[in-house]
Amino acid sequence: MRPFGGRLVNEGGSLLGRARMVCHCLLIETGGELILVDTGYGIADVTTHTEQLERSFLRLSRPVLEVAETAAAQVKQLGYRIEDVRHIVLTHLDRDHAGGLPDFPHAQVHVHDSEYRAMRNSPERARYLSHQFQHGPQWNLHRSSDGERWFGFEAVRELPGLPPGILLIPLPGHTRGHTGVAVRRSDGRWLLHAGDAYFYHGEMAERPHCTPMLRYFQSRVQVNGPLRRRNQERLHDLVTAHRGHVEVFCAHDPIELDRYTSTQDS
């Protein structure tokens, strides 16, 4: 995405230039099948249904409308088939995270139950785009429980069909049922896709900071400000206390995406 705002977004470049943001998805290989964490925009979003993303949103975010940027195209570029993606785990159901669901119609879709209910019945359900769900996703809804915790966080474990090393970590505030997705790597370390729990890599730095535009935007689209800020603080504490065991990245920071793509880490 290329919103206007320059250094007010990225902390670099000109004041009035275009900034850079991304939709950071995570593809997990587990033997004979693939698991996708978030989908970004879908093929229809960048071709036939672009206007349904809403003009005000398009003017603000200015997404690159190219099929090659979609998760489906990138899965194929890696040499896989669309059908190899058997499960999709979503941090939440906003348009830039769930837009690619129709591109993977055979996949089981895992999301927190409170996020699904917010999409169907909450006062803010207008933020979700119905055309992204019209194909009838194979929903798997998950609820929080009082089970074993993950580094002090509540965790939803035993997602049907998924390995035990993939967990939902409830991080509400941005949306009602927003979650992080924790993935245990083969070396024992954890990756946490934090979705929109924060937007800027500086928020996880030793001295947390955020650019003015992203600080404003986060508050503008939140459903519960105190809860969002509290969970963001908890993530910062997690990174500080367990830097050698847990790596955290968010959905829209290009610096964090480049950190992985430049080393071909996964």
Side-chain angles (χ1 to χ4, degrees):
M1 297 178 285
R2 299 293 188 270
F4 288 115
R7 64 173 180 265
L8 295 178
V9 176
N10 290 145
E11 205 172 39
S14 67
L15 183 63
L16 300 178
R18 290 191 181 185
R20 178 184 174 222
M21 298 180 69
V22 299
C23 294
H24 191 161
C25 305
L26 178 65
L27 188 65
I28 306 167
E29 299 172 300
T30 60
E33 63 183 25
L34 302 175
I35 300 166
L36 183 62
V37 179
D38 279 0
T39 69
Y41 298 104
I43 292 174
D45 293 325
V46 303
T47 56
T48 57
H49 289 65
T50 301
E51 288 299 315
Q52 293 191 41
L53 294 177
E54 298 178 350
R55 292 182 181 179
S56 59
F57 180 81
L58 290 170
R59 285 195 300 267
L60 176 65
S61 62
R62 303 182 68 85
V64 175
L65 302 177
E66 296 181 4
V67 171
E69 291 275 349
T70 64
Q74 294 186 50
V75 165
K76 290 181 179 178
Q77 186 179 357
L78 290 171
Y80 298 110
R81 303 174 304 151
I82 292 297
E83 294 77 15
D84 293 332
V85 178
R86 306 288 179 82
H87 297 270
I88 294 174
V89 187
L90 296 173
T91 60
H92 60 301
L93 293 171
D94 276 350
R95 65 196 69 186
D96 50 341
H97 295 259
L101 286 181
D103 300 333
F104 303 93
H106 304 293
Q108 300 285 321
V109 180
H110 301 264
V111 69
H112 200 280
D113 176 69
S114 56
E115 182 72 2
Y116 178 82
R117 287 187 282 108
M119 180 267 289
R120 294 295 299 270
N121 302 308
S122 74
E124 65 272 2
R125 64 182 179 274
R127 72 185 291 162
Y128 305 108
L129 301 184
S130 60
H131 78 273
Q132 296 177 338
F133 315 120
Q134 286 178 345
H135 64 290
Q138 302 179 53
W139 298 108
N140 283 263
L141 307 182
H142 304 285
R143 296 182 179 181
S144 301
S145 64
D146 296 325
E148 184 181 355
R149 299 179 73 81
W150 181 83
F151 291 97
F153 286 80
E154 190 176 45
V156 179
R157 299 173 182 266
E158 299 182 1
L159 308 183
L162 300 186
I166 299 178
L167 318 176
L168 291 182
I169 310 299
L171 297 170
H174 176 71
T175 63
R176 291 179 183 267
H178 184 279
T179 67
V181 181
V183 182
R184 191 177 185 90
R185 299 165 51 120
S186 58
D187 61 7
R189 292 183 296 157
W190 289 88
L191 286 177
L192 177 63
H193 189 318
D196 286 359
Y198 69 98
F199 275 65
Y200 186 64
H201 63 276
E203 294 173 290
M204 294 296 111
E206 184 175 348
R207 296 184 177 180
H209 63 283
C210 186
T211 54
M213 192 69 76
L214 291 180
R215 184 167 55 248
Y216 167 77
F217 183 74
Q218 290 183 75
S219 64
R220 183 73 176 82
V221 297
Q222 67 193 10
V223 299
N224 187 320
L227 189 55
R228 179 189 66 80
R229 290 189 293 272
R230 172 56 183 148
N231 279 321
Q232 193 174 102
E233 292 170 359
R234 295 174 70 212
L235 284 176
H236 179 266
D237 293 343
L238 171 69
V239 170
T240 302
H242 300 283
R243 198 173 298 273
H245 302 285
V246 182
E247 297 178 23
V248 179
F249 63 87
C250 67
H252 297 305
D253 189 289
I255 299 297
E256 292 181 333
L257 176 63
D258 292 345
R259 182 187 304 159
Y260 292 100
T261 56
S262 63
T263 61
Q264 297 300 305
D265 202 354
S266 62

